[in-house]
Amino acid sequence: MLVYPSGLDLTSSHLRFLTARLRERRRAIGSRWRRLNAGRQALLALAHLRHGHPYAQLAAGFGIGTTTAYRYITEAVDVLAALAPSLAEAVRAASAKAFVLLDGTLLPTDRPDRPFYSGKHKKHGMNVQILTDPAGRLLWASPALPGAIHDVRAAREHGIINALAEAGIKCWADKGYRGAAGTVHVPIWGRWDKLSAGQQAVNRSHAKIRAQVEPAIAALKTWRLLRKLRCSTTRITPLVQAALTLHLTTTN
Protein backbone atom coordinates (compact mmCIF):
# COMPACT_ATOMS: atom_id res chain seq x y z
CA MET A 1 0.00 0.00 0.00
CA LEU A 2 1.33 3.45 -0.92
CA VAL A 3 1.70 6.01 1.87
CA TYR A 4 1.56 9.79 1.42
CA PRO A 5 1.60 12.81 3.79
CA SER A 6 -1.73 14.51 4.39
CA GLY A 7 -3.13 17.40 6.40
CA LEU A 8 -5.77 17.44 9.13
CA ASP A 9 -8.00 20.51 9.45
CA LEU A 10 -7.91 20.61 13.25
CA THR A 11 -6.10 22.78 15.76
CA SER A 12 -3.26 21.79 18.07
CA SER A 13 -5.68 22.15 21.00
CA HIS A 14 -7.56 19.07 19.77
CA LEU A 15 -4.33 17.09 19.73
CA ARG A 16 -3.13 18.37 23.12
CA PHE A 17 -6.49 17.65 24.75
CA LEU A 18 -6.76 14.07 23.52
CA THR A 19 -3.07 13.37 24.14
CA ALA A 20 -3.45 14.45 27.77
CA ARG A 21 -6.53 12.26 28.25
CA LEU A 22 -4.76 9.24 26.73
CA ARG A 23 -1.74 9.74 28.98
CA GLU A 24 -4.07 9.77 31.98
CA ARG A 25 -5.68 6.59 30.70
CA ARG A 26 -2.31 4.85 30.29
CA ARG A 27 -1.26 5.83 33.80
CA ALA A 28 -4.58 4.61 35.22
CA ILE A 29 -4.28 1.14 33.65
CA GLY A 30 -0.53 0.89 34.13
CA SER A 31 0.27 0.66 30.43
CA ARG A 32 4.02 0.81 29.78
CA TRP A 33 5.10 0.24 26.18
CA ARG A 34 3.00 0.92 23.09
CA ARG A 35 3.77 0.91 19.38
CA LEU A 36 2.61 4.55 19.32
CA ASN A 37 3.09 7.14 22.03
CA ALA A 38 0.04 9.02 23.35
CA GLY A 39 0.49 11.88 20.88
CA ARG A 40 0.63 9.59 17.85
CA GLN A 41 -2.33 7.59 19.12
CA ALA A 42 -4.30 10.82 19.51
CA LEU A 43 -3.38 11.87 15.96
CA LEU A 44 -4.47 8.46 14.66
CA ALA A 45 -7.88 8.73 16.34
CA LEU A 46 -8.40 12.34 15.20
CA ALA A 47 -7.62 11.38 11.60
CA HIS A 48 -10.16 8.58 11.76
CA LEU A 49 -12.89 10.76 13.27
CA ARG A 50 -12.25 13.75 11.04
CA HIS A 51 -11.86 12.01 7.69
CA GLY A 52 -13.34 8.55 8.25
CA HIS A 53 -10.35 6.75 6.75
CA PRO A 54 -10.51 2.93 7.05
CA TYR A 55 -8.38 1.24 9.68
CA ALA A 56 -6.19 -0.47 7.06
CA GLN A 57 -5.23 2.84 5.43
CA LEU A 58 -4.46 4.50 8.75
CA ALA A 59 -2.50 1.48 9.93
CA ALA A 60 -0.28 1.67 6.85
CA GLY A 61 0.30 5.38 7.33
CA PHE A 62 1.23 5.00 11.00
CA GLY A 63 3.31 1.86 10.52
CA ILE A 64 1.19 -0.42 12.70
CA GLY A 65 -1.09 -3.41 12.16
CA THR A 66 -4.77 -2.99 11.31
CA THR A 67 -5.84 -4.68 14.56
CA THR A 68 -3.60 -2.37 16.55
CA ALA A 69 -5.06 0.67 14.78
CA TYR A 70 -8.57 -0.56 15.61
CA ARG A 71 -7.69 -1.03 19.30
CA TYR A 72 -6.00 2.37 19.59
CA ILE A 73 -8.86 4.22 17.91
CA THR A 74 -11.52 2.40 19.93
CA GLU A 75 -9.69 3.22 23.16
CA ALA A 76 -9.41 6.91 22.23
CA VAL A 77 -13.08 7.10 21.20
CA ASP A 78 -14.20 5.54 24.48
CA VAL A 79 -12.02 7.95 26.48
CA LEU A 80 -13.60 10.91 24.69
CA ALA A 81 -17.14 9.52 24.90
CA ALA A 82 -16.86 9.21 28.69
CA LEU A 83 -16.23 12.97 28.87
CA ALA A 84 -19.35 13.97 26.90
CA PRO A 85 -21.98 15.88 28.92
CA SER A 86 -25.01 13.98 30.17
CA LEU A 87 -28.56 15.19 29.57
CA ALA A 88 -28.75 16.38 33.19
CA GLU A 89 -25.59 18.44 32.73
CA ALA A 90 -26.92 19.88 29.48
CA VAL A 91 -30.21 20.83 31.15
CA ARG A 92 -28.33 22.57 33.96
CA ALA A 93 -26.35 24.55 31.37
CA ALA A 94 -29.56 25.32 29.47
CA SER A 95 -31.26 26.66 32.60
CA ALA A 96 -29.16 29.81 32.25
CA LYS A 97 -30.42 30.34 28.67
CA ALA A 98 -33.65 31.93 27.50
CA PHE A 99 -34.62 28.73 25.69
CA VAL A 100 -33.14 25.77 23.83
CA LEU A 101 -33.50 24.36 20.34
CA LEU A 102 -34.24 20.69 19.73
CA ASP A 103 -33.86 18.81 16.48
CA GLY A 104 -33.06 15.35 15.20
CA THR A 105 -30.60 14.31 12.53
CA LEU A 106 -30.00 11.08 10.67
CA LEU A 107 -26.51 9.61 10.52
CA PRO A 108 -26.41 7.40 7.39
CA THR A 109 -25.19 3.83 7.81
CA ASP A 110 -24.45 0.93 5.53
CA ARG A 111 -26.92 -1.31 7.37
CA PRO A 112 -29.87 -2.01 5.00
CA ASP A 113 -32.05 -3.51 7.75
CA ARG A 114 -35.64 -2.27 8.06
CA PRO A 115 -35.37 -0.87 11.64
CA PHE A 116 -32.73 1.58 10.39
CA TYR A 117 -34.75 2.91 7.45
CA SER A 118 -35.99 6.49 7.88
CA GLY A 119 -39.13 7.19 5.87
CA LYS A 120 -38.54 10.91 6.30
CA HIS A 121 -35.03 10.85 4.85
CA LYS A 122 -35.55 7.87 2.50
CA LYS A 123 -32.33 6.20 3.65
CA HIS A 124 -30.94 3.95 6.35
CA GLY A 125 -29.33 5.47 9.39
CA MET A 126 -29.38 6.25 13.09
CA ASN A 127 -31.47 8.95 14.77
CA VAL A 128 -29.58 11.39 17.02
CA GLN A 129 -31.27 14.20 18.95
CA ILE A 130 -29.49 17.55 19.29
CA LEU A 131 -29.94 20.29 21.90
CA THR A 132 -28.46 23.76 21.35
CA ASP A 133 -28.66 27.15 23.01
CA PRO A 134 -30.46 30.11 21.33
CA ALA A 135 -27.31 30.98 19.35
CA GLY A 136 -27.05 27.45 17.96
CA ARG A 137 -24.15 26.30 20.14
CA LEU A 138 -24.19 22.57 20.82
CA LEU A 139 -25.17 21.57 24.34
CA TRP A 140 -25.86 17.86 24.00
CA ALA A 141 -26.19 14.98 21.55
CA SER A 142 -28.23 11.91 22.40
CA PRO A 143 -27.36 8.23 22.10
CA ALA A 144 -28.15 6.90 18.63
CA LEU A 145 -31.42 5.08 17.96
CA PRO A 146 -32.53 3.22 14.79
CA GLY A 147 -33.52 5.61 12.01
CA ALA A 148 -37.08 4.29 11.80
CA ILE A 149 -37.83 5.92 15.18
CA HIS A 150 -39.63 9.25 14.83
CA ASP A 151 -38.11 12.37 16.40
CA VAL A 152 -40.83 12.86 19.03
CA ARG A 153 -40.59 9.23 20.11
CA ALA A 154 -36.80 9.47 20.31
CA ALA A 155 -37.08 12.62 22.43
CA ARG A 156 -39.43 10.83 24.81
CA GLU A 157 -37.23 7.73 25.05
CA HIS A 158 -34.22 9.85 25.93
CA GLY A 159 -36.21 11.75 28.56
CA ILE A 160 -35.58 15.10 26.90
CA ILE A 161 -39.16 16.38 27.06
CA ASN A 162 -39.63 15.52 30.73
CA ALA A 163 -36.22 16.91 31.69
CA LEU A 164 -36.92 20.26 30.02
CA ALA A 165 -40.42 20.43 31.50
CA GLU A 166 -39.17 19.72 35.03
CA ALA A 167 -36.55 22.45 34.66
CA GLY A 168 -39.08 24.86 33.15
CA ILE A 169 -36.93 25.42 30.06
CA LYS A 170 -38.73 26.54 26.92
CA CYS A 171 -37.86 24.60 23.80
CA TRP A 172 -38.39 25.33 20.10
CA ALA A 173 -38.72 22.36 17.74
CA ASP A 174 -40.10 21.52 14.29
CA LYS A 175 -43.33 19.73 13.33
CA GLY A 176 -41.69 16.37 13.94
CA TYR A 177 -42.26 16.97 17.66
CA ARG A 178 -45.98 17.58 17.36
CA GLY A 179 -47.72 16.23 20.47
CA ALA A 180 -44.62 16.44 22.63
CA ALA A 181 -46.36 18.85 25.04
CA GLY A 182 -44.44 20.03 28.09
CA THR A 183 -42.42 23.15 27.29
CA VAL A 184 -41.83 22.17 23.64
CA HIS A 185 -43.18 24.72 21.13
CA VAL A 186 -43.85 23.57 17.56
CA PRO A 187 -45.20 25.40 14.50
CA ILE A 188 -48.95 25.69 14.00
CA TRP A 189 -50.10 22.58 12.15
CA GLY A 190 -51.75 22.80 8.74
CA ARG A 191 -51.21 23.57 5.08
CA TRP A 192 -49.63 26.97 4.52
CA ASP A 193 -52.44 28.21 2.30
CA LYS A 194 -54.99 27.17 4.92
CA LEU A 195 -53.36 29.18 7.73
CA SER A 196 -54.47 32.69 8.59
CA ALA A 197 -52.12 35.63 8.11
CA GLY A 198 -51.46 35.67 11.86
CA GLN A 199 -50.68 31.95 11.93
CA GLN A 200 -48.33 32.29 8.98
CA ALA A 201 -46.52 35.10 10.79
CA VAL A 202 -46.16 32.90 13.88
CA ASN A 203 -44.71 30.06 11.81
CA ARG A 204 -42.27 32.38 10.02
CA SER A 205 -41.03 33.68 13.35
CA HIS A 206 -40.76 30.13 14.67
CA ALA A 207 -38.73 29.08 11.62
CA LYS A 208 -36.29 31.99 12.09
CA ILE A 209 -35.67 30.97 15.69
CA ARG A 210 -35.24 27.29 14.79
CA ALA A 211 -32.85 28.01 11.93
CA GLN A 212 -30.00 28.37 14.43
CA VAL A 213 -30.01 24.63 15.09
CA GLU A 214 -28.87 23.77 11.55
CA PRO A 215 -25.29 25.12 11.91
CA ALA A 216 -24.94 23.05 15.10
CA ILE A 217 -25.84 19.85 13.27
CA ALA A 218 -23.49 20.81 10.44
CA ALA A 219 -20.71 21.41 12.99
CA LEU A 220 -21.17 17.92 14.41
CA LYS A 221 -20.96 16.46 10.93
CA THR A 222 -17.67 18.19 10.18
CA TRP A 223 -16.42 14.96 11.76
CA ARG A 224 -16.79 13.21 8.42
CA LEU A 225 -16.92 9.73 9.89
CA LEU A 226 -20.50 10.56 10.94
CA ARG A 227 -21.56 11.28 7.35
CA LYS A 228 -21.44 7.61 6.37
CA LEU A 229 -20.98 5.09 9.15
CA ARG A 230 -19.59 1.66 8.27
CA CYS A 231 -19.29 0.19 11.75
CA SER A 232 -21.42 -1.81 14.15
CA THR A 233 -24.47 0.17 15.28
CA THR A 234 -23.35 -0.41 18.88
CA ARG A 235 -20.31 1.79 18.21
CA ILE A 236 -22.22 4.77 16.82
CA THR A 237 -23.18 6.32 20.17
CA PRO A 238 -19.54 6.45 21.40
CA LEU A 239 -18.50 8.00 18.08
CA VAL A 240 -21.15 10.72 18.39
CA GLN A 241 -20.20 11.41 22.00
CA ALA A 242 -16.51 11.56 21.08
CA ALA A 243 -17.19 14.09 18.32
CA LEU A 244 -19.31 16.14 20.73
CA THR A 245 -16.54 16.18 23.32
CA LEU A 246 -13.95 17.34 20.80
CA HIS A 247 -16.31 20.03 19.49
CA LEU A 248 -17.07 21.38 22.97
CA THR A 249 -13.40 21.27 23.97
CA THR A 250 -12.40 23.83 21.35
CA THR A 251 -15.53 26.03 21.44
CA ASN A 252 -16.01 26.51 25.19
Side-chain angles (χ1 to χ4, degrees):
M1 186 178 295
L2 296 175
V3 177
Y4 67 96
S6 179
L8 196 58
D9 56 338
L10 295 172
T11 65
S12 58
S13 60
H14 289 97
L15 184 61
R16 289 196 301 269
F17 175 80
L18 182 51
T19 299
R21 303 293 82 74
L22 289 174
R23 284 173 179 157
E24 292 170 1
R25 158 78 177 169
R26 293 184 181 194
R27 285 195 295 268
I29 64 176
S31 179
R32 295 185 178 180
W33 183 85
R34 299 275 190 106
R35 288 293 303 276
L36 298 180
N37 61 32
R40 294 286 287 173
Q41 182 184 356
L43 186 61
L44 171 71
L46 290 174
H48 179 66
L49 288 168
R50 194 62 166 182
H51 293 307
H53 293 318
Y55 298 118
Q57 292 182 6
L58 290 169
F62 281 81
I64 56 178
T66 302
T67 302
T68 302
Y70 172 80
R71 288 203 322 269
Y72 282 4
I73 291 171
T74 299
E75 180 184 42
V77 167
D78 289 342
V79 166
L80 290 169
L83 299 173
S86 65
L87 177 58
E89 292 170 335
V91 169
R92 282 196 295 272
S95 63
K97 312 294 182 180
F99 58 87
V100 295
L101 303 174
L102 171 64
D103 201 1
T105 187
L106 188 80
L107 303 181
T109 70
D110 61 352
R111 298 302 175 97
D113 304 318
R114 186 176 181 83
F116 303 106
Y117 183 75
S118 169
K120 175 183 177 181
H121 298 277
K122 308 301 181 186
K123 63 177 68 173
H124 295 83
M126 298 291 281
N127 180 303
V128 173
Q129 299 293 299
I130 303 292
L131 276 179
T132 79
D133 68 9
R137 290 183 288 265
L138 273 169
L139 296 175
W140 180 74
S142 76
L145 292 175
I149 295 178
H150 197 272
D151 281 340
V152 68
R153 177 184 164 190
R156 289 194 179 108
E157 289 196 16
H158 294 308
I160 301 169
I161 297 170
N162 287 339
L164 295 176
E166 290 173 4
I169 301 171
K170 294 181 179 179
C171 173
W172 264 251
D174 64 20
K175 291 181 179 180
Y177 296 88
R178 184 185 180 204
T183 56
V184 178
H185 298 270
V186 298
I188 297 172
W189 187 262
R191 289 171 56 92
W192 183 259
D193 57 353
K194 300 294 184 182
L195 299 178
S196 67
Q199 290 173 326
Q200 290 179 357
V202 168
N203 280 4
R204 277 194 293 267
S205 176
H206 189 283
K208 288 180 181 178
I209 294 172
R210 270 203 65 259
Q212 294 298 324
V213 78
E214 298 302 330
I217 294 175
L220 190 64
K221 291 184 178 180
T222 57
W223 301 92
R224 298 179 185 88
L225 182 70
L226 301 181
R227 297 180 187 177
K228 183 64 175 181
L229 292 154
R230 297 177 176 84
C231 61
S232 167
T233 54
T234 61
R235 291 299 304 164
I236 294 177
T237 292
L239 289 171
V240 172
Q241 302 298 325
L244 176 64
T245 297
L246 288 168
H247 177 79
L248 294 177
T249 297
T250 56
T251 56
N252 292 344

